[in-house]
Amino acid sequence: MERYQKFLESKQAAVKLDIALEDFFREEDAHREVYGQYLRQRIRPAVEELIRREDLEKLEQLNQLGWLPPVDDFLKLAARERKNAAFVWLLRLKQEKYGFCEESFSL
C-alpha cells in the first residue's frame, strides 16, 4: 500500500514510472488498472526504460496488450545503447507486424 501511496504523491516522473513498471506486471496488485492507465499515457518512456533493462518479458506483455507504438525509434535506442537482446526482439516484432520493404538499387 505504501508503494501505491508513493506513486500517487510523487512529483517525479521517474519515480512514478519505476513504480508503475514494477507493480503493473504483478497480477495480484489491486491498483493494476491505475498503473496501466499511467503507463498508457507514458508508453514511450516506459518502453525505453524496459529496453534499457532488456526486460523482454514485460515488453512482450505490452505488445500483447497492443500498447506498443511503431518500433523504429526504439530500434535506434536499442542499437545506440547496445542492448542487443532488446534490439533482436524489436527486429522480430517489426518483421512480424510490418515486414521490411526491399530496397531497389537499380539505376
Side-chain angles (χ1 to χ4, degrees):
M1 185 64 155
E2 72 183 54
R3 283 179 58 86
Y4 181 67
Q5 198 64 33
K6 185 176 181 179
F7 171 80
L8 291 176
E9 294 174 357
S10 179
K11 303 292 185 213
Q12 297 178 7
V15 171
K16 290 181 84 141
L17 184 63
D18 189 49
I19 292 171
L21 280 173
E22 292 301 317
D23 293 355
F24 174 75
F25 295 99
R26 294 182 183 156
E27 296 295 327
E28 72 279 352
D29 198 295
H31 307 292
R32 189 169 195 262
E33 188 173 324
V34 175
Y35 294 135
Q37 290 172 353
Y38 179 78
L39 289 175
R40 287 194 77 169
Q41 293 172 353
R42 308 243 325 137
I43 194 64
R44 182 166 293 283
V47 172
E48 289 173 353
E49 182 59 30
L50 292 175
I51 288 170
R52 286 185 184 99
R53 295 179 187 181
E54 289 194 287
D55 196 334
L56 305 183
E57 290 178 22
K58 291 178 181 175
L59 284 168
E60 181 59 39
Q61 288 180 24
L62 292 179
N63 180 46
Q64 289 176 356
L65 291 169
W67 293 3
L68 284 184
V71 299
D72 291 332
D73 291 338
F74 300 127
L75 279 165
K76 292 174 188 173
L77 171 72
R80 185 174 58 248
E81 297 201 5
R82 292 183 167 80
K83 301 300 182 181
N84 295 332
F87 184 76
V88 170
W89 184 86
L90 289 165
L91 280 175
R92 286 187 185 141
L93 181 65
K94 182 174 180 174
Q95 176 64 34
E96 290 171 12
K97 281 191 170 183
Y98 311 106
F100 292 94
C101 60
E102 290 201 22
E103 296 283 331
S104 174
F105 297 104
S106 64
L107 297 176

